[in-house]
Each structure stands twice: as C-alpha cells, then as structure tokens.
Coordinates of all heavy atoms in Angstrom, one line a residue:
M946 N -86.6 -33.2 -13.8 CA -86.5 -31.8 -13.2 C -85.3 -31.2 -13.9 O -84.2 -31.8 -13.9 CB -86.4 -31.9 -11.7 CG -86.4 -30.5 -11.1 SD -86.3 -30.5 -9.3 CE -88.0 -30.4 -9.0
A947 N -85.5 -30.0 -14.4 CA -84.4 -29.2 -15.0 C -83.4 -28.7 -14.0 O -83.8 -28.3 -12.9 CB -84.9 -28.1 -15.9
K948 N -82.2 -28.7 -14.4 CA -81.1 -28.1 -13.5 C -81.3 -26.6 -13.4 O -81.4 -25.9 -14.5 CB -79.7 -28.5 -14.0 CG -78.7 -28.1 -13.0 CD -77.3 -28.6 -13.5 CE -76.2 -28.2 -12.5 NZ -74.9 -28.6 -13.0
R949 N -81.2 -26.0 -12.2 CA -81.4 -24.6 -12.0 C -80.1 -23.9 -12.3 O -79.0 -24.3 -11.8 CB -81.8 -24.3 -10.6 CG -82.0 -22.8 -10.4 CD -82.6 -22.7 -9.0 NE -82.5 -21.2 -8.6 CZ -82.1 -20.7 -7.5 NH1 -81.7 -21.5 -6.6 NH2 -82.1 -19.5 -7.3
I950 N -80.1 -22.9 -13.2 CA -78.9 -22.2 -13.6 C -78.7 -21.0 -12.6 O -79.7 -20.2 -12.5 CB -78.9 -21.7 -15.0 CG1 -79.0 -22.9 -16.0 CG2 -77.7 -20.8 -15.3 CD1 -79.2 -22.5 -17.4
R951 N -77.6 -20.9 -12.0 CA -77.4 -19.9 -11.0 C -76.8 -18.6 -11.8 O -75.8 -18.7 -12.5 CB -76.3 -20.3 -10.0 CG -76.3 -19.6 -8.8 CD -75.2 -20.3 -7.9 NE -75.6 -20.2 -6.6 CZ -74.9 -20.6 -5.6 NH1 -73.7 -21.1 -5.8 NH2 -75.3 -20.5 -4.4
R952 N -77.5 -17.5 -11.7 CA -77.1 -16.3 -12.3 C -76.4 -15.2 -11.4 O -76.0 -14.2 -11.9 CB -78.3 -15.7 -13.1 CG -78.9 -16.6 -14.1 CD -79.9 -15.9 -14.9 NE -80.6 -16.8 -15.7 CZ -80.2 -17.4 -16.9 NH1 -79.1 -17.1 -17.3 NH2 -81.0 -18.2 -17.5
T953 N -76.4 -15.5 -10.1 CA -75.8 -14.6 -9.1 C -74.8 -15.4 -8.3 O -74.8 -16.7 -8.4 CB -76.9 -14.0 -8.3 OG1 -77.6 -15.0 -7.5 CG2 -77.8 -13.1 -9.0
N954 N -74.0 -14.7 -7.6 CA -73.0 -15.2 -6.8 C -72.8 -14.4 -5.5 O -73.0 -13.2 -5.6 CB -71.7 -15.3 -7.6 CG -70.8 -16.4 -7.2 OD1 -70.3 -16.4 -6.1 ND2 -70.5 -17.3 -8.1
R955 N -72.2 -15.0 -4.5 CA -71.9 -14.1 -3.3 C -70.5 -13.7 -3.4 O -69.6 -14.5 -3.6 CB -72.1 -15.0 -2.1 CG -73.6 -15.3 -1.8 CD -73.8 -16.2 -0.6 NE -72.7 -16.6 0.2 CZ -72.5 -16.3 1.5 NH1 -73.5 -15.8 2.1 NH2 -71.4 -16.7 2.1
H956 N -70.3 -12.4 -3.2 CA -68.9 -11.8 -3.2 C -68.6 -11.1 -1.9 O -69.4 -10.4 -1.4 CB -68.9 -10.7 -4.3 CG -67.6 -10.0 -4.3 ND1 -66.4 -10.5 -4.8 CD2 -67.3 -8.7 -4.0 CE1 -65.5 -9.6 -4.7 NE2 -66.0 -8.5 -4.2
H957 N -67.4 -11.5 -1.3 CA -66.9 -10.9 -0.1 C -66.2 -9.6 -0.5 O -65.2 -9.6 -1.3 CB -65.9 -11.8 0.6 CG -66.5 -12.9 1.3 ND1 -67.0 -14.1 0.6 CD2 -66.8 -13.1 2.6 CE1 -67.5 -14.9 1.6 NE2 -67.4 -14.3 2.7
R958 N -66.7 -8.5 0.0 CA -66.1 -7.2 -0.3 C -64.7 -7.1 0.3 O -63.7 -6.6 -0.3 CB -66.9 -6.1 0.1 CG -68.2 -6.1 -0.7 CD -69.2 -5.0 -0.2 NE -68.7 -3.7 -0.6 CZ -69.3 -2.6 -0.4 NH1 -70.5 -2.6 0.1 NH2 -68.7 -1.5 -0.7
R959 N -64.5 -7.7 1.5 CA -63.2 -7.8 2.1 C -63.1 -9.3 2.1 O -63.8 -10.0 2.7 CB -63.2 -7.3 3.5 CG -61.8 -7.5 4.2 CD -61.7 -6.9 5.6 NE -61.9 -5.5 5.7 CZ -62.0 -4.8 6.7 NH1 -62.1 -5.4 7.9 NH2 -62.2 -3.5 6.7
S960 N -62.0 -9.8 1.4 CA -61.8 -11.2 1.3 C -61.7 -12.0 2.6 O -61.2 -11.3 3.6 CB -60.6 -11.5 0.3 OG -59.4 -11.1 1.0
R961 N -62.1 -13.2 2.5 CA -62.0 -14.0 3.7 C -60.5 -14.1 4.2 O -60.3 -14.2 5.4 CB -62.6 -15.4 3.5 CG -64.1 -15.3 3.3 CD -64.6 -16.7 3.0 NE -64.3 -17.0 1.6 CZ -64.7 -18.0 1.0 NH1 -65.5 -18.9 1.6 NH2 -64.4 -18.2 -0.3
S962 N -59.6 -14.1 3.3 CA -58.2 -14.3 3.7 C -57.7 -13.0 4.3 O -56.6 -13.0 5.0 CB -57.3 -14.5 2.5 OG -57.3 -13.5 1.5
R963 N -58.4 -11.9 4.2 CA -58.0 -10.6 4.8 C -59.0 -10.3 5.9 O -59.5 -9.1 6.0 CB -57.9 -9.5 3.8 CG -56.9 -9.7 2.7 CD -56.8 -8.5 1.8 NE -56.2 -8.8 0.5 CZ -54.9 -9.0 0.3 NH1 -54.1 -9.0 1.3 NH2 -54.4 -9.3 -0.9
T964 N -59.4 -11.2 6.7 CA -60.3 -11.1 7.9 C -61.7 -10.8 7.5 O -62.5 -10.3 8.3 CB -59.8 -10.2 9.0 OG1 -59.9 -8.8 8.5 CG2 -58.4 -10.5 9.5
G965 N -62.1 -11.1 6.3 CA -63.5 -10.8 5.8 C -64.3 -12.1 6.0 O -65.4 -12.1 5.6
G966 N -63.7 -13.2 6.6 CA -64.4 -14.4 6.8 C -65.2 -14.4 8.1 O -65.3 -13.3 8.8
I967 N -65.6 -15.5 8.6 CA -66.3 -15.6 9.8 C -65.4 -15.1 10.9 O -64.2 -15.4 11.0 CB -66.7 -17.1 10.1 CG1 -67.6 -17.6 9.0 CG2 -67.3 -17.3 11.5 CD1 -67.9 -19.0 9.0
P968 N -65.8 -14.2 11.8 CA -67.2 -13.8 12.0 C -67.5 -12.5 11.3 O -68.5 -11.9 11.6 CB -67.3 -13.6 13.5 CG -66.0 -13.1 13.9 CD -65.0 -13.8 13.0
F969 N -66.7 -12.1 10.3 CA -66.9 -10.8 9.7 C -67.8 -10.8 8.4 O -67.7 -10.0 7.6 CB -65.5 -10.2 9.4 CG -64.8 -10.0 10.5 CD1 -63.7 -10.8 10.9 CD2 -65.1 -8.9 11.4 CE1 -62.9 -10.6 12.1 CE2 -64.3 -8.7 12.6 CZ -63.2 -9.5 12.9
N970 N -68.6 -11.9 8.2 CA -69.5 -11.9 7.0 C -70.6 -10.9 7.2 O -71.3 -10.7 6.2 CB -70.0 -13.4 6.8 CG -68.9 -14.2 6.2 OD1 -68.0 -13.7 5.6 ND2 -69.0 -15.5 6.4
G971 N -70.8 -10.4 8.3 CA -71.8 -9.4 8.6 C -71.4 -8.0 8.1 O -70.8 -7.9 7.0
D972 N -71.6 -7.0 8.9 CA -71.3 -5.6 8.5 C -69.8 -5.3 8.9 O -69.4 -5.8 9.9 CB -72.2 -4.6 9.1 CG -73.6 -4.6 8.5 OD1 -73.8 -5.4 7.5 OD2 -74.4 -3.9 8.9
I973 N -69.1 -4.6 8.0 CA -67.9 -4.0 8.4 C -68.0 -2.5 8.3 O -68.3 -1.9 7.3 CB -66.8 -4.5 7.4 CG1 -66.6 -6.0 7.5 CG2 -65.5 -3.8 7.7 CD1 -65.6 -6.6 6.5
E974 N -67.9 -1.9 9.5 CA -68.2 -0.5 9.6 C -69.4 0.0 9.0 O -69.5 1.0 8.3 CB -66.9 0.2 9.0 CG -65.6 0.0 9.8 CD -64.4 0.7 9.1 OE1 -64.6 1.6 8.3 OE2 -63.3 0.3 9.4
G975 N -70.5 -0.8 9.2 CA -71.8 -0.5 8.8 C -72.1 -0.8 7.3 O -73.2 -0.5 6.8
T976 N -71.2 -1.4 6.6 CA -71.4 -1.8 5.2 C -71.4 -3.4 5.1 O -70.5 -4.0 5.7 CB -70.2 -1.2 4.4 OG1 -70.2 0.1 4.5 CG2 -70.4 -1.6 2.9
P977 N -72.3 -3.9 4.4 CA -72.3 -5.4 4.3 C -71.1 -5.9 3.6 O -70.6 -5.3 2.6 CB -73.5 -5.6 3.4 CG -74.3 -4.5 3.4 CD -73.4 -3.3 3.7
N978 N -70.5 -7.0 4.1 CA -69.3 -7.5 3.6 C -69.6 -8.5 2.4 O -68.9 -8.6 1.5 CB -68.4 -8.2 4.6 CG -67.1 -8.7 4.1 OD1 -66.4 -7.9 3.3 ND2 -66.7 -9.9 4.4
V979 N -70.7 -9.2 2.5 CA -71.0 -10.2 1.5 C -72.2 -9.6 0.7 O -73.2 -9.3 1.3 CB -71.4 -11.5 2.1 CG1 -71.9 -12.5 1.1 CG2 -70.2 -12.1 2.9
I980 N -72.1 -9.5 -0.5 CA -73.1 -9.0 -1.4 C -73.4 -10.0 -2.5 O -72.5 -10.8 -2.9 CB -72.8 -7.6 -2.0 CG1 -71.5 -7.6 -2.8 CG2 -72.7 -6.6 -0.9 CD1 -71.2 -6.4 -3.6
V981 N -74.6 -9.9 -3.1 CA -74.9 -10.8 -4.2 C -74.6 -10.0 -5.5 O -75.1 -8.8 -5.7 CB -76.4 -11.2 -4.1 CG1 -76.8 -12.0 -5.4 CG2 -76.6 -12.0 -2.9
V982 N -73.9 -10.6 -6.4 CA -73.5 -9.9 -7.7 C -73.8 -10.9 -8.8 O -73.9 -12.1 -8.7 CB -72.1 -9.5 -7.7 CG1 -71.7 -8.4 -6.7 CG2 -71.1 -10.7 -7.5
D983 N -73.9 -10.3 -10.0 CA -74.0 -11.1 -11.2 C -72.8 -12.1 -11.4 O -71.6 -11.7 -11.2 CB -74.1 -10.2 -12.5 CG -74.1 -10.9 -13.8 OD1 -75.2 -11.3 -14.1 OD2 -73.1 -11.0 -14.4
Y984 N -73.1 -13.3 -11.7 CA -72.1 -14.4 -11.7 C -71.0 -14.1 -12.7 O -69.8 -14.1 -12.4 CB -72.7 -15.7 -12.1 CG -71.8 -16.8 -12.2 CD1 -71.2 -17.4 -11.2 CD2 -71.4 -17.3 -13.5 CE1 -70.3 -18.5 -11.3 CE2 -70.5 -18.4 -13.7 CZ -70.0 -18.9 -12.5 OH -69.0 -19.9 -12.6
K985 N -71.3 -13.6 -14.0 CA -70.3 -13.3 -15.0 C -69.4 -12.1 -14.5 O -68.2 -12.1 -14.7 CB -70.9 -13.0 -16.3 CG -71.4 -14.3 -16.9 CD -71.9 -14.1 -18.4 CE -72.4 -15.4 -19.0 NZ -72.8 -15.2 -20.4
K986 N -70.0 -11.1 -13.9 CA -69.3 -9.9 -13.4 C -68.3 -10.3 -12.4 O -67.2 -9.8 -12.3 CB -70.2 -8.8 -13.0 CG -70.9 -8.2 -14.2 CD -71.8 -7.1 -13.7 CE -72.6 -6.5 -14.8 NZ -73.5 -5.4 -14.4
H987 N -68.8 -11.2 -11.5 CA -67.9 -11.7 -10.4 C -66.7 -12.5 -11.0 O -65.6 -12.3 -10.4 CB -68.8 -12.6 -9.5 CG -68.1 -13.0 -8.2 ND1 -68.4 -14.1 -7.5 CD2 -67.2 -12.3 -7.4 CE1 -67.7 -14.2 -6.4 NE2 -66.9 -13.0 -6.3
Q988 N -66.9 -13.4 -11.9 CA -65.8 -14.0 -12.5 C -64.9 -13.1 -13.2 O -63.7 -13.2 -13.1 CB -66.3 -15.0 -13.6 CG -66.9 -16.3 -13.1 CD -67.3 -17.2 -14.2 OE1 -67.9 -16.8 -15.2 NE2 -66.9 -18.5 -14.1
A989 N -65.4 -12.0 -14.0 CA -64.6 -11.1 -14.6 C -63.7 -10.2 -13.6 O -62.5 -10.0 -13.8 CB -65.4 -10.1 -15.4
F990 N -64.3 -9.9 -12.4 CA -63.6 -9.2 -11.4 C -62.4 -10.0 -10.9 O -61.2 -9.5 -10.9 CB -64.5 -8.9 -10.2 CG -63.8 -8.3 -9.0 CD1 -63.6 -6.9 -9.0 CD2 -63.3 -9.1 -8.0 CE1 -62.9 -6.4 -7.9 CE2 -62.7 -8.6 -6.9 CZ -62.5 -7.2 -6.9
H991 N -62.6 -11.3 -10.6 CA -61.5 -12.1 -10.2 C -60.5 -12.4 -11.3 O -59.3 -12.7 -10.9 CB -62.0 -13.3 -9.4 CG -62.6 -13.0 -8.1 ND1 -61.8 -12.6 -7.0 CD2 -63.9 -13.0 -7.7 CE1 -62.6 -12.4 -5.9 NE2 -63.9 -12.6 -6.4
L992 N -60.9 -12.4 -12.5 CA -59.9 -12.6 -13.6 C -59.1 -11.4 -13.7 O -57.8 -11.5 -13.9 CB -60.7 -12.9 -14.9 CG -59.9 -13.2 -16.1 CD1 -59.1 -14.5 -16.0 CD2 -60.8 -13.2 -17.3
L993 N -59.6 -10.2 -13.7 CA -58.9 -9.0 -13.8 C -58.0 -8.7 -12.5 O -56.9 -8.2 -12.6 CB -59.8 -7.8 -14.0 CG -60.4 -7.7 -15.4 CD1 -61.5 -6.6 -15.4 CD2 -59.4 -7.4 -16.4
F994 N -58.5 -9.0 -11.4 CA -57.9 -8.6 -10.1 C -57.7 -9.9 -9.2 O -58.5 -10.2 -8.3 CB -58.7 -7.6 -9.4 CG -59.1 -6.5 -10.1 CD1 -60.5 -6.2 -10.4 CD2 -58.2 -5.6 -10.7 CE1 -60.9 -5.2 -11.2 CE2 -58.6 -4.5 -11.5 CZ -59.9 -4.3 -11.7
P995 N -56.7 -10.8 -9.5 CA -56.4 -12.0 -8.7 C -56.2 -11.6 -7.2 O -56.6 -12.2 -6.4 CB -55.2 -12.6 -9.3 CG -54.9 -11.9 -10.6 CD -55.7 -10.6 -10.6
S996 N -55.5 -10.4 -7.0 CA -55.4 -10.0 -5.7 C -56.5 -9.0 -5.3 O -56.7 -8.1 -6.1 CB -54.0 -9.2 -5.5 OG -54.0 -8.5 -4.2
T997 N -57.2 -9.1 -4.2 CA -58.3 -8.2 -3.9 C -57.8 -7.1 -3.0 O -58.7 -6.4 -2.4 CB -59.4 -9.1 -3.3 OG1 -59.0 -9.7 -2.1 CG2 -60.1 -10.0 -4.3
C998 N -56.6 -6.9 -2.8 CA -56.1 -5.8 -2.0 C -56.5 -4.5 -2.8 O -56.1 -4.3 -4.0 CB -54.6 -5.9 -1.8 SG -53.9 -4.5 -1.0
P999 N -57.2 -3.6 -2.2 CA -57.6 -2.3 -2.9 C -56.5 -1.6 -3.6 O -56.6 -1.1 -4.7 CB -58.2 -1.5 -1.7 CG -58.7 -2.5 -0.8 CD -57.6 -3.6 -0.7
Q1000 N -55.3 -1.5 -2.9 CA -54.1 -0.8 -3.5 C -53.7 -1.6 -4.8 O -53.3 -0.9 -5.8 CB -53.0 -0.7 -2.5 CG -53.3 0.2 -1.3 CD -54.1 -0.5 -0.2 OE1 -54.5 -1.7 -0.3 NE2 -54.5 0.3 0.8
D1001 N -53.7 -2.9 -4.8 CA -53.3 -3.6 -6.0 C -54.3 -3.4 -7.1 O -53.9 -3.3 -8.3 CB -53.1 -5.1 -5.7 CG -52.0 -5.5 -4.8 OD1 -51.1 -4.5 -4.6 OD2 -52.0 -6.6 -4.2
I1002 N -55.6 -3.4 -6.7 CA -56.6 -3.1 -7.8 C -56.4 -1.8 -8.4 O -56.5 -1.6 -9.6 CB -58.0 -3.3 -7.2 CG1 -58.2 -4.8 -6.8 CG2 -59.1 -2.8 -8.1 CD1 -59.5 -5.0 -6.0
A1003 N -56.2 -0.8 -7.5 CA -55.9 0.6 -8.0 C -54.7 0.7 -9.0 O -54.7 1.3 -10.0 CB -55.8 1.6 -6.9
R1004 N -53.7 -0.1 -8.6 CA -52.4 -0.1 -9.4 C -52.7 -0.7 -10.8 O -52.3 -0.1 -11.8 CB -51.4 -0.9 -8.7 CG -50.0 -0.9 -9.3 CD -48.9 -1.6 -8.5 NE -48.8 -1.1 -7.2 CZ -49.2 -1.8 -6.1 NH1 -49.6 -3.1 -6.2 NH2 -49.1 -1.3 -4.8
V1005 N -53.5 -1.8 -10.8 CA -53.8 -2.4 -12.2 C -54.7 -1.4 -13.0 O -54.4 -1.2 -14.2 CB -54.6 -3.7 -12.0 CG1 -55.2 -4.2 -13.2 CG2 -53.7 -4.8 -11.3
L1006 N -55.7 -0.8 -12.3 CA -56.5 0.1 -13.0 C -55.7 1.3 -13.6 O -55.9 1.7 -14.8 CB -57.7 0.6 -12.1 CG -58.8 -0.4 -11.8 CD1 -59.7 0.2 -10.7 CD2 -59.5 -0.8 -13.0
N1007 N -54.9 1.8 -12.8 CA -54.1 3.0 -13.2 C -53.1 2.6 -14.4 O -52.9 3.4 -15.4 CB -53.3 3.6 -12.1 CG -54.2 4.4 -11.2 OD1 -55.1 5.1 -11.6 ND2 -54.0 4.2 -9.9
N1008 N -52.5 1.5 -14.3 CA -51.5 1.0 -15.2 C -52.1 0.7 -16.6 O -51.4 0.8 -17.6 CB -50.6 -0.1 -14.7 CG -49.7 0.4 -13.6 OD1 -49.4 1.5 -13.5 ND2 -49.2 -0.6 -12.8
I1009 N -53.3 0.1 -16.6 CA -53.9 -0.4 -17.8 C -55.1 0.3 -18.3 O -55.3 0.6 -19.5 CB -54.2 -1.9 -17.6 CG1 -52.9 -2.7 -17.3 CG2 -54.9 -2.5 -18.8 CD1 -53.1 -4.1 -16.9
W1010 N -56.0 0.6 -17.4 CA -57.4 1.0 -17.8 C -57.7 2.5 -17.7 O -58.6 2.9 -18.4 CB -58.4 0.2 -17.0 CG -58.2 -1.3 -17.1 CD1 -57.6 -2.1 -16.2 CD2 -58.6 -2.1 -18.2 NE1 -57.6 -3.4 -16.7 CE2 -58.2 -3.4 -18.0 CE3 -59.2 -1.9 -19.5 CZ2 -58.4 -4.5 -18.8 CZ3 -59.4 -2.9 -20.3 CH2 -59.0 -4.2 -20.0
I1011 N -57.1 3.2 -16.8 CA -57.5 4.5 -16.6 C -56.7 5.5 -17.5 O -55.5 5.3 -17.7 CB -57.3 4.9 -15.1 CG1 -58.1 4.0 -14.1 CG2 -57.6 6.4 -14.8 CD1 -59.5 4.2 -14.2
D1012 N -57.4 6.6 -18.0 CA -56.8 7.6 -18.7 C -55.6 8.2 -17.9 O -55.7 8.5 -16.8 CB -57.8 8.7 -19.0 CG -57.3 10.0 -19.7 OD1 -56.1 10.1 -19.9 OD2 -58.1 10.8 -20.1
P1013 N -54.4 8.2 -18.6 CA -53.2 8.7 -17.9 C -53.3 10.1 -17.2 O -52.5 10.4 -16.3 CB -52.1 8.7 -18.9 CG -52.6 7.7 -20.0 CD -54.0 7.8 -20.0
A1014 N -54.3 10.9 -17.7 CA -54.5 12.2 -17.1 C -55.2 12.1 -15.8 O -55.3 13.1 -15.1 CB -55.3 13.1 -18.1
H1015 N -55.6 10.9 -15.4 CA -56.4 10.8 -14.1 C -55.7 9.6 -13.3 O -54.9 8.9 -13.9 CB -57.8 10.3 -14.4 CG -58.6 11.4 -15.1 ND1 -58.6 11.6 -16.5 CD2 -59.4 12.3 -14.6 CE1 -59.3 12.7 -16.8 NE2 -59.8 13.1 -15.6
M1016 N -56.1 9.6 -12.1 CA -55.5 8.5 -11.2 C -56.6 8.0 -10.3 O -57.4 8.8 -9.7 CB -54.4 9.0 -10.4 CG -53.8 8.1 -9.3 SD -52.5 8.7 -8.3 CE -51.1 8.3 -9.3
F1017 N -56.7 6.7 -10.2 CA -57.7 6.0 -9.3 C -56.9 5.7 -8.0 O -55.9 5.2 -8.1 CB -58.2 4.8 -10.0 CG -59.2 4.0 -9.1 CD1 -60.6 4.4 -9.2 CD2 -58.8 3.0 -8.3 CE1 -61.5 3.7 -8.4 CE2 -59.7 2.3 -7.5 CZ -61.1 2.7 -7.6
V1018 N -57.4 6.1 -6.9 CA -56.7 6.0 -5.6 C -57.7 5.3 -4.7 O -58.8 5.6 -4.5 CB -56.4 7.4 -5.0 CG1 -55.6 7.2 -3.7 CG2 -55.6 8.2 -6.0
A1019 N -57.1 4.2 -4.0 CA -57.8 3.5 -2.9 C -57.3 4.0 -1.6 O -56.1 3.8 -1.2 CB -57.5 2.0 -3.1
V1020 N -58.2 4.6 -0.8 CA -57.9 5.1 0.5 C -58.9 4.6 1.5 O -60.1 4.4 1.1 CB -57.8 6.6 0.6 CG1 -56.6 7.2 -0.3 CG2 -59.1 7.3 0.2
P1021 N -58.6 4.4 2.7 CA -59.6 4.0 3.7 C -60.7 5.1 3.8 O -60.4 6.3 3.7 CB -58.8 4.0 5.0 CG -57.4 3.8 4.7 CD -57.2 4.6 3.3
R1022 N -61.9 4.6 4.0 CA -63.0 5.6 4.1 C -62.8 6.6 5.2 O -63.3 7.8 5.1 CB -64.3 4.8 4.5 CG -64.9 4.0 3.3 CD -66.2 3.4 3.6 NE -66.7 2.5 2.6 CZ -67.4 2.9 1.6 NH1 -67.9 4.1 1.5 NH2 -67.8 2.0 0.7
S1023 N -62.1 6.2 6.3 CA -61.9 7.1 7.4 C -61.1 8.3 7.0 O -61.2 9.4 7.5 CB -61.2 6.4 8.6 OG -60.0 5.9 8.1
L1024 N -60.3 8.2 5.9 CA -59.4 9.4 5.4 C -60.0 10.0 4.2 O -59.6 11.1 3.9 CB -58.0 8.8 5.0 CG -57.2 8.1 6.1 CD1 -55.9 7.6 5.6 CD2 -57.0 9.1 7.2
A1025 N -61.0 9.4 3.5 CA -61.5 9.9 2.2 C -62.1 11.3 2.3 O -61.8 12.1 1.4 CB -62.5 8.9 1.7
R1026 N -62.9 11.5 3.4 CA -63.5 12.9 3.4 C -62.5 14.0 3.5 O -62.6 15.0 2.9 CB -64.5 12.9 4.6 CG -65.8 12.2 4.4 CD -66.8 12.6 5.4 NE -68.0 11.8 5.2 CZ -68.5 10.9 6.0 NH1 -67.8 10.6 7.1 NH2 -69.6 10.2 5.7
D1027 N -61.5 13.7 4.3 CA -60.4 14.8 4.5 C -59.7 15.0 3.2 O -59.4 16.1 2.9 CB -59.5 14.4 5.7 CG -60.1 14.4 7.0 OD1 -61.2 15.1 7.2 OD2 -59.7 13.7 7.9
I1028 N -59.4 13.9 2.5 CA -58.7 14.0 1.2 C -59.5 14.8 0.2 O -59.0 15.7 -0.5 CB -58.2 12.7 0.7 CG1 -57.2 12.1 1.6 CG2 -57.7 12.7 -0.7 CD1 -56.9 10.6 1.4
V1029 N -60.8 14.4 0.1 CA -61.6 15.1 -0.9 C -61.8 16.6 -0.5 O -61.7 17.5 -1.4 CB -63.0 14.4 -1.0 CG1 -64.0 15.2 -1.8 CG2 -62.8 13.0 -1.6
K1030 N -62.0 16.9 0.8 CA -62.2 18.3 1.2 C -60.9 19.1 0.9 O -61.0 20.1 0.4 CB -62.4 18.3 2.7 CG -62.8 19.6 3.2 CD -62.9 19.7 4.7 CE -63.9 18.7 5.2 NZ -64.1 18.7 6.7
Q1031 N -59.7 18.5 1.1 CA -58.4 19.2 0.8 C -58.3 19.4 -0.7 O -57.9 20.5 -1.1 CB -57.3 18.4 1.4 CG -56.0 19.1 1.2 CD -54.8 18.3 1.9 OE1 -55.1 17.2 2.5 NE2 -53.7 18.9 1.9
Y1032 N -58.7 18.4 -1.5 CA -58.6 18.5 -2.9 C -59.5 19.7 -3.4 O -59.1 20.5 -4.2 CB -59.1 17.2 -3.6 CG -59.2 17.4 -5.1 CD1 -58.1 17.3 -6.0 CD2 -60.5 17.5 -5.7 CE1 -58.3 17.4 -7.3 CE2 -60.6 17.6 -7.0 CZ -59.5 17.5 -7.9 OH -59.7 17.7 -9.2
H1033 N -60.7 19.8 -2.9 CA -61.6 20.9 -3.3 C -61.1 22.2 -2.9 O -61.3 23.2 -3.6 CB -63.0 20.6 -2.8 CG -63.8 19.5 -3.6 ND1 -64.1 19.7 -4.9 CD2 -64.1 18.3 -3.2 CE1 -64.7 18.5 -5.3 NE2 -64.8 17.7 -4.3
L1034 N -60.5 22.3 -1.8 CA -59.9 23.5 -1.3 C -58.8 24.1 -2.2 O -58.6 25.3 -2.4 CB -59.4 23.5 0.1 CG -60.4 23.3 1.2 CD1 -59.8 23.1 2.5 CD2 -61.4 24.5 1.2
Q1035 N -58.1 23.1 -2.8 CA -57.0 23.5 -3.7 C -57.4 23.9 -5.2 O -56.7 24.5 -5.9 CB -56.0 22.3 -3.8 CG -55.3 22.0 -2.6 CD -54.4 20.8 -2.7 OE1 -54.4 20.1 -3.7 NE2 -53.8 20.4 -1.6
Q1036 N -58.7 23.6 -5.5 CA -59.2 23.8 -6.9 C -59.5 25.3 -7.0 O -60.1 25.9 -6.1 CB -60.4 22.9 -7.2 CG -60.1 21.5 -7.2 CD -59.0 21.2 -8.2 OE1 -59.2 21.5 -9.4 NE2 -58.0 20.5 -7.9
P1037 N -59.2 25.9 -8.2 CA -59.6 27.3 -8.3 C -61.1 27.4 -8.5 O -61.8 26.5 -9.0 CB -58.9 27.7 -9.7 CG -58.6 26.4 -10.3 CD -58.4 25.4 -9.3
T1038 N -61.7 28.5 -8.0 CA -63.1 28.7 -8.1 C -63.6 29.6 -9.2 O -62.8 30.2 -9.8 CB -63.6 29.3 -6.7 OG1 -63.0 30.4 -6.5 CG2 -63.5 28.3 -5.6

C-alpha cells in the first residue's frame, strides 16, 4: 500500500498558546479558529512569522514586505469598523 501524502494541514488562527487551544478550537466570535490550509503555505507562514501575534506579523510585513507608502495595521475586529469609518470621513471626496 502506498503512503498517503498529506497536502493540507490544520492551522489555528489564534494559536493554542494564546488561548486558541481546547476548548477554543471551535468558533471565536463566530469565526472558526482551526482551518485547513495548504501544507506548504502553512510552513511558509510559520517560517516568516515565528510569533503569531497579529501586531508582530504586521511589524514584520511593514518593515520588510509592504511598500513604505502604505502601512499594514492589525486591530481587533471590534474596533476595525470605527477606524475604517473614520478614515473614510477624512478622505477628500
């Protein structure tokens, strides 16, 4: 019997070390915490971002990968709508 090659992997969106483990493997605020992703992309993610803290990921993206004219910001979803709304109010029409 041939060995089955696994092409996907389970990824915790909120890491287990940051309370994304049991019993939080279900939904976190209506969003699944564990998702199935491509194995190679999962490896690449953890290679680029050893710390899974959203603020640390944003810092790495801004310092290395994002065009300096832009900024990637990690904010809690509960604040995101207000921030985006305020940003749009400040833009000239």
Side-chain angles (χ1 to χ4, degrees):
M946 182 179 267
K948 186 175 180 182
R949 183 173 169 226
I950 298 173
R951 201 178 215 188
R952 299 188 192 281
T953 59
N954 207 298
R955 290 172 10 119
H956 173 72
H957 285 79
R958 295 177 68 173
R959 180 182 293 171
S960 67
R961 289 176 288 186
S962 64
R963 299 185 197 288
T964 70
I967 298 173
F969 299 105
N970 285 338
D972 288 358
I973 297 176
E974 297 175 15
T976 304
N978 186 43
V979 178
I980 58 172
V981 175
V982 295
D983 177 79
Y984 177 76
K985 287 186 178 184
K986 289 179 182 179
H987 192 207
Q988 282 185 314
F990 174 84
H991 286 290
L992 182 65
L993 287 170
F994 310 114
S996 168
T997 57
C998 173
Q1000 292 81 3
D1001 291 345
I1002 293 170
R1004 188 175 305 111
V1005 170
L1006 289 172
N1007 287 318
N1008 289 340
I1009 299 172
W1010 302 103
I1011 302 290
D1012 176 349
H1015 294 84
M1016 177 183 268
F1017 182 85
V1018 181
V1020 296
R1022 286 185 190 267
S1023 59
L1024 301 176
R1026 284 195 182 111
D1027 293 336
I1028 292 169
V1029 171
K1030 188 185 302 181
Q1031 187 174 2
Y1032 172 79
H1033 285 293
L1034 290 175
Q1035 294 174 359
Q1036 296 301 307
T1038 54

